[in-house]
């Protein structure tokens, strides 16, 4: 019953993200690992590689690798650009990482593995929901150590959940911190 109420609430708060959670499998379980400095180093190296080879492109390392907390050994990178400038940056990103996995009007997305880490790189419009939400959450967690600690505990407690349930648990947390952050301003 709790999940039903939570799911209805998530649907009304974040309909697109909630419906998107159905694309994640229920039979694949997530594994949370203790913080590994090599994951952070790989993320920083990728960020620097992009910045060095594609001047003018603003790149953010976000997620557990950036926060130096427990996580899935994955690295999330967001590069921001007005979509009209995507053609300027795409050749360099393709040269570095190969063809994109997904291309949309507001973002282009790559998934690949580096040093045993799953990498997600997004070239996106800073005003798109794909970039805006993750960057807002990143900024909130960066400035609030208590919420960051709570986030790590949520991740640790989620070890073994299905990918779908994990995405929903995180969505519930991020919706709450964004809502609370709006209320305090």
């Amino acid at each position: 019953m709790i999940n039903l109420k939570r799911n209805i609430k998530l649907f009304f708060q974040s309909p697109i993200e909630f419906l998107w959670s159905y694309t994640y499998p229920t039979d694949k379980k997530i594994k949370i690992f203790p913080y590994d400095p090599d994951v952070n180093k790989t993320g920083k190296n990728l960020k620097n590689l992009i910045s060095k080879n594609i001047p003018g492109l603003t790149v953010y390392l976000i997620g557990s690798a950036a926060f130096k907390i427990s996580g899935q050994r994955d690295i999330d990178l967001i590069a921001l650009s007005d979509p009209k400038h995507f053609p300027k940056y795409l050749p360099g990103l393709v040269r570095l990482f190969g063809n994109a996995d997904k291309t949309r009007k507001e973002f282009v997305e790559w998934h690949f593995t580096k040093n045993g880490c799953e990498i997600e790189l997004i070239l996106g419009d800073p005003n798109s929901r794909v970039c805006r939400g993750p960057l807002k959450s990143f900024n909130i967690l960066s400035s609030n150590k208590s919420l960051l600690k709570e986030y790590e505990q949520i991740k640790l407690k989620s070890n073994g959940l299905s990918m779908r349930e994990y995405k929903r648990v995180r969505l519930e947390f991020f919706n709450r911190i964004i809502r609370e952050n709006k209320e305090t301003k």
Side-chain angles (χ1 to χ4, degrees):
M1 189 64 162
I2 292 172
N3 281 348
L4 178 60
K5 286 181 182 179
R6 185 219 42 203
N7 289 347
I8 290 170
K9 186 176 180 182
L10 286 175
F11 175 75
F12 284 106
Q13 288 176 340
S14 304
I16 294 171
E17 290 82 0
F18 177 76
L19 292 174
W20 190 252
S21 74
Y22 280 98
T23 66
Y24 293 97
T26 56
D27 60 345
K28 182 179 178 189
K29 306 299 181 193
I30 64 137
K31 176 101 173 101
I32 301 295
F33 298 91
Y35 168 66
D36 180 348
D38 290 338
V39 176
N40 177 270
K41 183 178 177 183
T42 297
K44 285 181 176 179
N45 287 344
L46 286 167
K47 179 183 174 191
N48 292 338
L49 177 69
I50 296 167
S51 296
K52 179 182 170 192
N53 285 281
I54 308 170
L57 186 60
T58 304
V59 183
Y60 294 91
L61 172 62
I62 64 170
S64 57
F67 290 126
K68 300 180 180 179
I69 63 172
S70 302
Q72 296 182 82
R73 291 193 53 80
D74 62 339
I75 296 169
D76 302 302
L77 296 159
I78 295 180
L80 299 178
S81 170
D82 186 307
K84 70 182 176 189
H85 297 298
F86 284 7
K88 173 181 168 183
Y89 298 122
L90 279 171
L93 290 168
V94 168
R95 193 169 45 257
L96 292 172
F97 306 114
N99 291 327
D101 297 311
K102 192 182 294 182
T103 302
R104 302 292 185 269
K105 186 176 126 184
E106 296 180 324
F107 70 94
V108 182
E109 187 174 292
W110 288 260
H111 295 96
F112 56 96
T113 303
K114 177 87 173 170
N115 298 337
C117 300
E118 295 295 318
I119 315 295
E120 180 180 80
L121 167 63
I122 294 175
L123 171 64
D125 181 342
N127 298 312
S128 71
R129 68 171 182 76
V130 171
C131 295
R132 197 176 51 244
L135 287 173
K136 182 175 274 189
S137 298
F138 176 76
N139 289 331
I140 292 169
L141 292 174
S142 294
S143 64
N144 188 320
K145 298 302 176 201
S146 172
L147 283 176
L148 181 58
K149 190 172 189 144
E150 181 183 349
Y151 179 51
E152 184 174 25
Q153 289 305 308
I154 287 169
K155 291 173 87 60
L156 290 168
K157 288 177 185 173
S158 297
N159 192 34
L161 289 180
S162 72
M163 287 294 293
R164 182 179 301 167
E165 183 60 20
Y166 177 62
K167 294 296 181 182
R168 291 178 180 171
V169 167
R170 289 178 64 232
L171 180 59
E172 183 177 34
F173 174 75
F174 289 133
N175 281 349
R176 179 176 60 82
I177 68 170
I178 288 171
R179 183 181 66 251
E180 289 171 356
N181 192 37
K182 284 180 185 176
E183 291 170 359
T184 59
K185 287 193 173 185

